[in-house]
Amino acid sequence: MLVMVLEKVPASLRGELTRWLIEVKTGVFVGHVSARVRDKLWDKCCRARRLGGVVQIWSTNTEQRFAMRSAGDTS
């Protein structure tokens, strides 16, 4: 499971993510992709976010059962 939250990013980036994930609410994307695709989406979002922010949360086998990373202004 992958969740991505995009804030104040270009509309074209949100459109790009809809090819891989479902936008359940404006700027909130959910889906199930491989680790390779997850990392590629992260790289794409970090390069294209401009002044916005990105948060990515995914399932893993840690104690909390998830990991996360963020970039930019994620207020």
Side-chain angles (χ1 to χ4, degrees), residues 13-14 16 18-19 24-28 37 48 58 65 72-73:
L13 178 57
R14 288 184 35 226
E16 182 81 24
T18 60
R19 295 178 182 176
V24 294
K25 188 176 179 182
T26 305
V28 179
V37 172
W58 66 96
R65 299 282 184 217
D73 181 17

Side-chain angles (χ1 to χ4, degrees), residues 23-71:
E23 189 171 18
V24 294
K25 188 176 179 182
T26 305
V28 179
F29 296 85
V30 178
H32 186 75
V33 296
S34 69
R36 182 177 182 176
V37 172
R38 178 191 71 217
D39 291 341
K40 294 284 186 184
L41 291 174
W42 177 253
D43 291 340
K44 177 178 272 305
C45 289
C46 286
R47 284 193 312 269
R49 68 179 170 78
R50 295 190 187 157
L51 299 176
V54 181
V55 175
Q56 188 180 62
I57 305 165
W58 66 96
S59 301
T60 187
N61 61 353
T62 62
E63 186 174 328
Q64 292 293 323
R65 299 282 184 217
F66 71 91
M68 68 179 289
R69 53 189 168 190
S70 64

